[in-house]
Amino acid sequence: MKRNVIAILIFSLHQAVFSNQLDFVGVDEKNKSYNLEFSLEKTALIIAQSSNSPFSISLEFKETSMKEDFDLKQNYPIKNIKSSSSENNSIIEIFFYEPVSWQKPQQIKTENGIKVLLSLDQNKKIKKMTREAIVMIDAGHGGRDPGAIAKSHNVIEKDITLLIANELFRTLEDTDGYKPVLVREDDSFIYLDQRYQKARQNSGDIFVSIHADAFSLPSVKGAAIYIWSEEASSNSAKSLSTKKVSSVRVDESDFDEDLARSKYPEIYKKKKEKSLQLGKKILDQLKRDPYTHLHKKRVEYADFRVLKSLDVPSVLIESGFISNSEDAERLKGKPGRRMIARSLFLGINNYFKENLEDDFFIYDAEGYLTYTVQRGDVLSEIAIRFGVPVMDIINTNLIRDEAIFPGQRIKIKI
Ligand SMILES: [Zn+2]
């Protein structure tokens, strides 16, 4: 009897750890756009990738189980959707008649658990499987959490971070191959844990957290880049991170990043390397920024919870000290903020240049970025955004009299 009780206990413990049921819900089509819907009990680690031989997408749902395997025929352009399982993982493969553009899956919280959506678009123009790089932009603080406050300079951190985030969002949004996602879009409060959870829910390829700092010594100034480490590398980083430990909240249905780091050391090791690479690329750009002084010449390590994702390369920028009058003025002004956003964009772009996946289309066949002109754009501002001379854009795109129009697609070499 006793033995049975123990066996049941062990069994239910096993269930508690590994049971996260995955179900296929169906396919929804609208104007050649398709949503494949799945359901989960909890947010999962999903490894998503595409292949061109044959045209397919595979989704590996770690530590999930399915009731039974299936192989379902579908309508054009999807051939079939097939499932299989190995150990504690479920694998869904979707095969196509032709290449499609796709987005890494989104995991959306609902009352009944997690709705997983894989979005696809039929696109006759593409010759291979194609997807956008997803950049998570995290404007630090917000709502009842103002972040640093510099009364004498009339600056609040949460305002500065949102303005820089929006500026970066715009450049990425209007550049082919990128899909920026704002962690917060307005002055709302978001828990630290929800911020990196959002990166997982949106399948972010990278995560960039934007901050500004304040210090008791008004002479301290400049920008710095941080990546995550449990053991902070410097004392100033330590004091920064203890400030950020406030506002902790984890949901039952959330993915446990802390547990996952010990389960998947290889994935975590790669994330650390890629975070450092991304941090260095952004720092290299900050060094070239004529407006911004550097507080730290190297990428620093700090125990910032917001950066602790298992697999999403994550960096945090302190764009300056608003307690310093020079930095406060720089960050209050649009040109100064735009320079921070530009360094972030160029750093991100250089990072992806070295980490181009087969299905990215950031660069065209001739090695150009493509930017779509927006209402109100002028050439000189576009040139500043991308850090290139106006004449380069004019010559490459054969523009006469600096005349550009909304919707015009211009090539940029960087
Ligand atoms: Zn902050």
Side-chain angles (χ1 to χ4, degrees), residues 140-141 145-148 157 161 210-213 240 244 316-318:
H141 311 279
D145 169 18
E157 182 184 354
T161 61
I210 301 169
H211 288 257
D213 213 341
L240 277 172
K244 292 197 172 63
L316 183 145
I317 179 170
E318 292 285 0

Side-chain angles (χ1 to χ4, degrees), residues 176-413:
D176 276 14
Y178 286 111
K179 179 182 160 60
V181 178
L182 288 168
V183 170
R184 73 170 169 102
E185 295 177 10
D186 50 29
D187 184 23
S188 51
F189 175 80
I190 300 180
Y191 287 96
L192 282 179
D193 295 289
Q194 288 174 339
R195 294 174 189 257
Y196 60 79
Q197 290 290 345
K198 281 203 179 198
R200 176 151 322 285
Q201 287 152 11
N202 287 281
S203 284
D205 285 289
I206 59 168
F207 178 91
V208 178
S209 189
I210 301 169
H211 288 257
D213 213 341
F215 197 60
S216 49
L217 288 174
S219 58
V220 175
K221 63 175 181 179
I225 299 287
Y226 294 89
I227 60 174
W228 195 71
S229 151
E230 276 159 303
E231 289 300 317
S233 69
S234 72
N235 282 334
S236 74
K238 215 163 229 167
S239 82
L240 277 172
S241 58
T242 41
K243 274 192 273 173
K244 292 197 172 63
V245 169
S246 60
S247 59
V248 172
R249 205 183 79 164
V250 184
D251 199 298
E252 279 284 295
S253 65
D254 283 336
F255 182 76
D256 189 337
E257 308 282 340
D258 294 312
L259 193 62
R261 281 199 304 278
S262 55
K263 273 188 205 159
Y264 305 103
E266 288 304 311
I267 295 178
Y268 177 53
K269 186 170 165 249
K270 189 177 166 205
K271 179 255 181 164
K272 280 201 289 188
E273 289 165 8
K274 292 295 163 191
S275 301
L276 182 60
Q277 188 185 7
L278 175 60
K280 282 180 176 170
K281 294 292 180 200
I282 295 170
L283 199 65
D284 284 347
Q285 294 302 321
L286 285 171
K287 285 176 184 164
R288 294 174 44 194
D289 167 1
Y291 287 67
T292 308
H293 176 86
L294 275 187
H295 177 55
K296 298 281 181 188
K297 300 249 176 325
R298 278 190 295 195
V299 173
E300 296 286 307
Y301 293 82
D303 183 15
F304 291 143
R305 295 178 63 76
V306 76
L307 303 177
K308 73 176 191 174
S309 166
L310 164 72
D311 55 334
V312 184
S314 305
V315 304
L316 183 145
I317 179 170
E318 292 285 0
S319 34
F321 285 81
I322 56 174
S323 44
N324 172 269
S325 56
E326 207 180 296
D327 273 7
E329 287 312 310
R330 169 171 64 84
L331 293 171
K332 271 163 84 174
K334 198 173 179 189
R337 289 195 305 267
R338 178 179 283 163
M339 280 299 159
I340 294 290
R342 164 169 116 181
S343 293
L344 288 170
F345 171 75
L346 294 176
I348 289 167
N349 193 69
N350 283 343
Y351 168 83
F352 280 113
K353 212 175 188 175
E354 287 182 12
N355 291 280
L356 282 178
E357 290 180 19
D358 252 6
D359 40 16
F360 285 166
F361 60 106
I362 294 166
Y363 281 92
D364 68 11
E366 293 153 317
Y368 290 102
L369 294 184
T370 305
Y371 173 80
T372 304
V373 175
Q374 302 299 306
R375 195 167 299 279
D377 271 349
V378 290
L379 265 183
S380 57
E381 286 191 359
I382 297 172
I384 291 171
R385 268 174 198 282
F386 290 91
V388 295
V390 174
M391 278 316 290
D392 281 12
I393 302 182
I394 290 176
N395 292 337
T396 309
N397 296 279
L398 308 172
I399 293 167
R400 300 179 79 182
D401 305 325
E402 301 210 0
I404 51 172
F405 54 89
Q408 183 178 2
R409 288 164 61 74
I410 57 178
K411 290 169 186 284
I412 290 166
K413 191 95 177 180

Side-chain angles (χ1 to χ4, degrees), residues 8 12 26 42 51 72 135 140 163 174 180 184 207 242 312 340 364:
I8 288 166
S12 43
K42 289 185 292 190
S51 166
L72 302 168
V135 178
L163 287 165
D174 302 330
R184 73 170 169 102
F207 178 91
T242 41
V312 184
I340 294 290
D364 68 11

